Amino acid sequence: MNSPAAQVVRLLTVKGWTLAVAESLTGGLVAAEITAVPGASQAFRGSVTAYATELKHELLGVDATLLDQRGAVDPQVAAQMAAGVRKALNADWGIATTGVAGPEPQDGKPVGTVFVAVDGPFAGASEAVSGGKVTALRLNGDRAEIRMESVRSVLALLLEELSSEQTGNERAQDTERNGGF
């Protein structure tokens, strides 16, 4: 199995890191994708599906004023969801999805507007300092296609960050353990 979720689990496990997921439009699909990977329990802490806007504030600590002014589909909301789930579930990394899967626009945002975010212990930062990255997406397709592409995109963003966190020596050791050269 070499899916993005399997690669994420492998890299997290190699580093001894943990992951928490905050989802809105994906409704648990990210967590399902990760937990489908054998051995995911070594790295996956859990998830929060905060579908209702007020839960983003109550459970994940997203700023209430931000939600009131911009709505739930916003890059800062995604960043705060990722940071909030990371803190709430005591994980090294947090990822989040928020957006409009349709069929109708939401908060003045068109169908296909999605923000995915990652928060974690980025290279160059001290252990106590975290940082977040957000990717804005404009997706086409029906509701199911938008949701699945959101899952793929947030895993790809995390995979990119996890890969950049490994030093050359760690990559070589991991490749060697997994039959590479």
Side-chain angles (χ1 to χ4, degrees), residues 17 79-88 91-95 118-133 161 165:
W17 279 333
Q80 288 184 20
M81 287 173 66
V85 79
R86 179 181 177 213
K87 181 180 177 183
D92 298 302
W93 292 88
I95 57 176
V118 60
D119 187 79
F122 294 100
S126 71
E127 285 297 314
V129 176
S130 67
K133 296 194 178 185
E161 294 307 317
E165 292 296 317

Side-chain angles (χ1 to χ4, degrees), residues 13-158:
T13 302
V14 164
K15 271 300 238 186
W17 279 333
T18 55
L19 174 66
V21 177
E23 300 186 65
S24 186
L25 85 149
T26 50
L29 292 173
V30 177
E33 192 77 11
I34 292 165
T35 58
V37 177
S41 61
Q42 293 178 33
F44 186 65
R45 297 273 305 151
S47 65
V48 174
T49 301
Y51 210 65
T53 299
E54 69 271 10
L55 293 180
K56 291 170 182 64
H57 170 68
E58 294 168 7
L59 298 177
L60 300 172
V62 176
D63 182 84
T65 304
L66 174 65
L67 289 167
D68 287 343
Q69 291 176 349
R70 297 194 191 166
V73 182
D74 182 82
Q76 284 184 274
V77 170
Q80 288 184 20
M81 287 173 66
V85 79
R86 179 181 177 213
K87 181 180 177 183
L89 300 185
N90 193 29
D92 298 302
W93 292 88
I95 57 176
T97 63
T98 188
V100 185
E104 300 297 323
Q106 177 187 335
D107 297 331
K109 308 286 188 336
V111 172
T113 303
V114 175
F115 298 97
V116 296
V118 60
D119 187 79
F122 294 100
S126 71
E127 285 297 314
V129 176
S130 67
K133 296 194 178 185
V134 179
T135 299
L137 306 170
R138 184 67 183 102
L139 303 175
N140 295 312
D142 64 20
R143 183 175 173 79
E145 291 167 329
I146 290 168
R147 293 174 76 215
M148 288 312 300
E149 183 59 24
S150 299
V151 171
R152 190 204 65 73
S153 296
V154 77
L155 290 174
L157 180 61
L158 177 59

